[in-house]
Amino acid sequence: DVKVTQSSRYLVKRTGEKVFLECVQDMDHENMFWYRQDPGLGLRLIYFSYDVKMKEKGDIPEGYSVSREKKERFSLILESASTNQTSMYLCASSWTGKKGYTFGSGTRLTVV
Amino acid sequence: AQSVTQLDSQVPVFEEAPVELRCNYSSSVSVYLFWYVQYPNQGLQLLLKYLSGSTLVKGINGFEAEFNKSQTSFHLRKPSVHISDTAEYFCAVSTWGNQGGKLIFGQGTELSVKP
C-alpha cells in the first residue's frame, strides 16, 4: 500500500513563527496536495503540485507557500503563523484523478 | 467550476438501522465521484468511487452509492450500520481530463451510530 507520511501529528507554534509541515509519499506519485480541514467547512485545497518544482494555488493559498524539490516530498510553509491558521492539515498524493487520493494521517497545528 | 454539497452535517442512527448520506454536486462536465471516510484522529480513507459504467457502486465495509446523473446526486447507503461506522464521511468530485485529478470536497457528514 502506498504510504503518505506527515512528519508531525500535533504541533504547537507561536504567532509569527515560520512553520514547516512535511509530507512524504513512497509510491512515485506525480501529484501531491495540501488541504486544511475545519469543522463545517470540509477540506479546502491550499496548494497542489503536478511535478517536481511545480506548484499551483488552490482555493485558499493566502498565508501559505509550498516547496517540492523532490518528487516524493511536498512541504507546506506558513511564512508567519497566525491564530486563524490553527487547523488540521492533510497531505495527499495520487497518480491520476481516477484513482482518488491517498491521505496522510494529518497534522493538527495550534498557533498560540 | 465544480461544487459539492452534503445535505446533512450530522446523521444520528441506531445500530443495525439503514442509513443514507446525501451528496449533490454541480459540474458542467462529466465527473468522477468519490466517498471518503475519516475515523477519529485519522486521515481520509477511500470508501468507493464512480468513474463510469454501472451507476451502483459497491465499496468497502458494506457501503454502496448510486450515481444519478439527472439529479446530480451520489448518495451513500448502508443497509445495516455498526457502532464502528461512527465517523465523518466526505463526498468529493473530480472532472474528467483534469490533470492530476484535483478533488473538490463537500463539507462532511458526521455519522453517529448509537447502541
Side-chain angles (χ1 to χ4, degrees), chain A residues 15-71:
Chain A
T15 302
E17 274 193 78
K18 189 169 186 176
V19 181
F20 293 85
L21 303 184
E22 305 289 345
C23 176
V24 177
Q25 51 95 2
D26 66 358
M27 278 298 289
D28 205 34
H29 282 176
E30 300 290 336
N31 312 305
M32 297 188 75
F33 307 82
W34 275 106
Y35 286 86
R36 67 176 280 176
Q37 181 182 7
D38 300 289
L41 297 177
L43 278 74
R44 293 178 292 167
L45 183 62
I46 305 172
Y47 268 97
F48 58 104
S49 170
Y50 293 143
D51 202 352
V52 176
K53 297 191 185 295
M54 176 271 174
K55 60 185 178 184
E56 286 198 29
K57 293 180 180 179
D59 300 318
I60 52 164
E62 297 77 19
Y64 303 95
S65 63
V66 290
S67 172
R68 194 169 181 197
E69 296 296 318
K70 293 184 178 182
K71 192 174 187 179

Side-chain angles (χ1 to χ4, degrees), chain B residues 11-17 81-86 111-115:
Chain B
V11 173
V13 64
F14 287 106
E15 194 173 18
E16 298 183 7
V81 294
H82 301 289
I83 298 286
S84 59
D85 292 323
T86 294
L111 175 64
S112 175
V113 181
K114 304 177 187 306

Side-chain angles (χ1 to χ4, degrees), chain A residues 1-2 5 14 22 54 58 61 85 94 108-110:
Chain A
D1 282 350
V2 62
T5 303
R14 295 194 180 278
E22 305 289 345
M54 176 271 174
Q85 293 178 310
S94 76
R108 188 168 292 282
L109 173 67
T110 302

Side-chain angles (χ1 to χ4, degrees), chain B residues 39-61:
Chain B
Y39 298 104
N41 299 314
Q42 295 186 25
L44 274 69
Q45 179 183 358
L46 181 65
L47 263 182
L48 49 77
K49 60 187 175 187
Y50 171 79
L51 304 180
S52 64
S54 172
T55 57
L56 183 63
V57 180
K58 294 191 184 297
I60 62 171
N61 301 339

Side-chain angles (χ1 to χ4, degrees), chain B residues 65-90:
Chain B
E66 185 158 18
F67 170 58
N68 187 319
K69 188 175 182 180
S70 63
Q71 297 187 5
T72 60
S73 68
F74 190 55
H75 300 334
L76 181 71
R77 302 186 182 101
K78 186 169 183 178
S80 175
V81 294
H82 301 289
I83 298 286
S84 59
D85 292 323
T86 294
E88 189 156 22
Y89 292 79
F90 292 93

